[in-house]
């Protein structure tokens, strides 16, 4: 008997604890007819589960979910996103508001005629251009934070120069950086950073410069002072991998076929479902099953190179034969289809139809500015170099930039 009482007490305590946690992440406001429920999305929660937990009818759930999917992709929901649900005692849900960030609010509500309506409200912000300069004491990241800027600015700066500078090993005490970027504000309050327009990094008496330029055709990129793109034609790898499980080799023992044969690619070991991206711009020449490669993608690039991606578990949306892809675009996911002993990516590259070792490839630079746009670029370059030179150390400056 005592044992049963203790078990019952434990169950009640567990249920009570769960209810307490639920109440902490949700706040309810009542009047005679209306209940307003405000809360934060928690781990594993979906719009369906939030509505179901608040006793919304299946019919209303279907209507709300269908409209919300047209406004905002539910796969982008994150823990901490804000929602507000208003329920009428007799009519059920009258509105649902979802706010993934301070700038955007998505609203589903029922009109007086009983019809569902949807809208996206976006805060109107003013764009300003600001600049900052600083010196390295420990790391680039710490130096940018010392100027009272946000971590995302440091990440964006490092990404721009990722092919020129290894920011883990190369920075030295006293190195200087300069940044000019767009920022979005409202009533003096900063909401988010925009694009970096110009940047410099000075180390070992060498100046690395990056100028953002959009030509008349609409193509945008970061260029050095000579008009050469800072990007390389290819990424260093098509995924974030744990290790290379097999290298390019003229003779390798195949673990399934049990005999030696050439391995003309690189096997990147990674968990199933790891995203795979195209290492460069190109056109998909094949997407489908291909013998021992299982699910397979082949991409032709514009500079006599082609790349191949094998053993995929699936393809990204829109990836099919004939589709154009951009560098770093998601194309598929790691798997173990075909002849594979475990999840990995079999990655191969050819130049003029001949397989080559990607790890030994001197990756070519991306295209430079076309000659017909050089005069336009020269004007932009002169303007930004002047503005960069005028920046004061550790003192943020608002800039007036006019590009004609």
């Amino acid at each position: 008997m005592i044992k049963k009482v203790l078990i019952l007490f434990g169950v009640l305590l567990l249920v009570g604890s769960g209810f307490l946690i639920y109440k902490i992440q949700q706040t309810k406001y009542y009047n005679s007819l209306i209940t307003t429920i405000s809360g934060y999305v928690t781990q594993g929660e979906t719009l369906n589960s939030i509505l179901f937990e608040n006793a919304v009818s299946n019919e209303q759930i279907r209507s709300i979910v269908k409209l919300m999917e047209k406004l905002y992709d539910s796969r982008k929901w994150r823990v901490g996103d804000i929602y507000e649900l208003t329920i009428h005692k007799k009519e059920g849900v009258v509105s649902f508001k979802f706010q993934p960030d301070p700038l955007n609010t998505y609203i589903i509500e029922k009109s007086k005629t009983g019809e569902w309506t949807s809208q996206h409200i976006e805060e109107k912000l003013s764009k300003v251009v600001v600049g900052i300069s600083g010196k390295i004491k420990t790391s680039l990241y710490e130096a940018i934070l010392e100027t009272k800027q946000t971590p995302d600015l440091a990440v964006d700066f490092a990404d721009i120069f990722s092919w020129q500078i290894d920011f883990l090993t190369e920075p030295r005490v006293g190195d200087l950086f300069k940044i000019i970027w767009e920022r979005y504000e409202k009533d003096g309050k900063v909401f988010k950073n925009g694009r970096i327009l110009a940047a410099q990094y000075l180390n070992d008496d060498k100046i690395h410069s990056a100028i953002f330029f959009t030509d008349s055709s609409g193509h945008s990129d970061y260029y050095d002072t000579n008009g050469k793109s800072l990007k390389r034609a290819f990424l260093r790898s098509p995924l974030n991998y744990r290790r290379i499980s097999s290298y390019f080799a003229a003779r390798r023992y195949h673990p399934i076929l049990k005999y030696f044969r050439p391995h003309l690619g690189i096997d990147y070991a990674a968990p199933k479902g790891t995203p795979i991206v195209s290492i460069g711009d190109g056109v998909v020449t094949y997407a489908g099953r291909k013998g021992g490669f299982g699910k397979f993608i082949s991409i032709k690039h514009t500079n006599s190179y082609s790349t191949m991606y094998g053993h995929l578990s699936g393809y990204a949306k829109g990836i099919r034969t004939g589709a154009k892809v951009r560098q770093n675009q998601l194309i598929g996911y790691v798997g173990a289809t075909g002849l594979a002993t475990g999840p990995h990516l079999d990655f191969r590259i050819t130049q003029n139809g001949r397989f080559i070792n990607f790890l030994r490839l001197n990756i070519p630079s991306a295209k430079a500015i076309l000659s017909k746009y050089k005069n336009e670029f020269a004007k932009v370059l002169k303007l930004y170099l002047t503005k960069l030179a005028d920046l004061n150390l550790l003192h943020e400056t608002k800039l007036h930039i006019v590009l004609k």
Side-chain angles (χ1 to χ4, degrees):
M1 181 68 182
I2 295 175
K3 185 177 180 181
K4 289 183 179 180
V5 171
L6 289 174
I7 292 173
L8 179 61
F9 177 76
V11 171
L12 290 173
L13 181 62
L14 182 62
V15 172
S17 299
F19 179 72
L20 179 61
I21 293 170
Y22 178 73
K23 292 292 288 183
I24 288 172
Q25 70 95 16
Q26 274 199 345
T27 306
K28 295 188 178 183
Y29 303 93
Y30 303 91
N31 65 24
S32 58
L33 293 175
I34 296 291
T35 301
T36 300
I37 303 162
S38 299
Y40 299 90
V41 175
T42 59
Q43 188 68 43
E45 271 195 322
T46 64
L47 177 55
N48 280 69
S49 66
I50 290 170
L51 296 174
F52 181 78
E53 287 167 0
N54 288 285
V56 178
S57 69
N58 289 334
E59 182 183 353
Q60 286 197 326
I61 289 176
R62 285 193 294 270
S63 298
I64 295 168
V65 169
K66 185 177 180 180
L67 281 173
M68 182 57 74
E69 281 294 337
K70 293 179 180 179
L71 291 178
Y72 191 83
D73 188 346
S74 61
R75 291 173 296 181
K76 296 180 180 179
W77 279 44
R78 299 168 300 178
V79 172
D81 288 348
I82 300 171
Y83 66 84
E84 182 181 285
L85 179 64
T86 303
I87 302 176
H88 190 278
K89 188 174 183 180
K90 296 179 180 179
E91 300 175 11
V93 176
V94 291
S95 73
F96 178 80
K97 296 179 182 179
F98 177 68
Q99 191 176 38
D101 58 65
L103 302 180
N104 295 281
T105 303
Y106 300 88
I107 302 174
I108 308 294
E109 57 187 351
K110 187 181 286 186
S111 67
K112 292 181 179 180
T113 59
E115 296 178 356
W116 289 103
T117 62
S118 62
Q119 62 175 317
H120 172 204
I121 300 175
E122 187 174 8
E123 288 282 352
K124 300 300 180 184
L125 304 176
S126 58
K127 182 171 69 175
V128 299
V129 177
V130 293
I132 197 73
S133 175
K135 279 189 177 182
I136 303 293
K137 294 180 181 177
T138 54
S139 68
L140 172 71
Y141 182 83
E142 293 293 339
I144 289 180
L145 292 188
E146 186 184 0
T147 67
K148 310 301 181 185
Q149 306 305 324
T150 55
D152 63 296
L153 187 66
V155 172
D156 291 345
F157 182 91
D159 282 347
I160 291 171
F161 290 111
S162 61
W163 285 107
Q164 287 71 39
I165 306 167
D166 182 349
F167 283 106
L168 291 176
T169 61
E170 292 186 38
R172 299 288 182 267
V173 174
D175 286 356
L176 184 68
F177 67 87
K178 298 182 177 185
I179 315 173
I180 293 173
W181 74 101
E182 297 171 333
R183 194 164 67 192
Y184 294 89
E185 303 177 350
K186 183 177 182 181
D187 300 328
K189 180 182 178 182
V190 176
F191 275 82
K192 63 177 181 177
N193 287 323
R195 177 185 291 115
I196 290 177
L197 301 174
Q200 284 183 333
Y201 191 83
L202 294 77
N203 70 336
D204 293 333
D205 296 323
K206 184 175 182 180
I207 301 176
H208 300 273
S209 297
I211 305 297
F212 183 78
F213 175 68
T214 303
D215 62 37
S216 299
S217 72
H219 176 73
S220 299
D221 204 350
Y222 288 97
Y223 299 93
D224 65 17
T225 54
N226 296 314
K228 292 183 179 179
S229 173
L230 296 188
K231 286 198 313 183
R232 297 288 181 176
F234 299 138
L235 301 176
R236 287 192 174 102
S237 75
L239 77 169
N240 289 322
Y241 57 95
R242 288 183 173 174
R243 61 188 174 87
I244 293 177
S245 56
S246 185
Y247 290 83
F248 187 95
R251 189 170 184 265
R252 184 196 72 155
Y253 185 74
H254 196 284
I256 294 179
L257 299 178
K258 306 298 182 184
Y259 62 80
F260 287 92
R261 69 175 189 174
H263 185 252
L264 302 176
I266 300 165
D267 288 348
Y268 294 99
K272 181 180 178 182
T274 298
I276 299 167
V277 300
S278 173
I279 65 166
D281 297 349
V283 177
V284 177
T285 54
Y286 186 86
R289 284 195 168 266
K290 191 176 180 68
F293 288 108
K295 292 182 178 179
F296 178 85
I297 295 172
S298 176
I299 298 174
K300 180 176 176 57
H301 305 282
T302 56
N303 43 14
S304 75
Y305 292 94
S306 291
T307 53
M308 283 137 272
Y309 311 76
H311 305 309
L312 279 60
S313 61
Y315 308 98
K317 185 177 180 180
I319 297 302
R320 59 185 180 279
T321 301
K324 292 183 178 180
V325 294
R326 303 290 293 175
Q327 186 180 78
N328 208 37
Q329 179 179 332
L330 177 67
I331 58 172
Y333 306 90
V334 168
T337 55
L339 295 177
T341 56
H344 71 281
L345 170 68
D346 184 316
F347 174 75
R348 304 186 178 211
I349 183 168
T350 63
Q351 183 179 21
N352 294 317
R354 183 177 64 87
F355 285 97
I356 58 176
N357 187 347
F358 181 65
L359 296 180
R360 293 184 177 179
L361 176 64
N362 183 14
I363 297 175
S365 296
K367 292 181 178 179
I369 291 174
L370 297 177
S371 57
K372 61 182 177 180
Y373 301 127
K374 285 187 175 179
N375 288 337
E376 293 179 38
F377 175 71
K379 294 177 183 177
V380 174
L381 175 64
K382 182 179 179 181
L383 172 64
Y384 283 131
L385 289 181
T386 301
K387 297 294 184 182
L388 286 165
D390 291 341
L391 293 179
N392 297 315
L393 193 65
L394 296 178
H395 180 70
E396 182 180 290
T397 307
K398 287 198 174 183
L399 304 170
H400 180 63
I401 302 287
V402 179
L403 294 174
K404 296 181 180 180

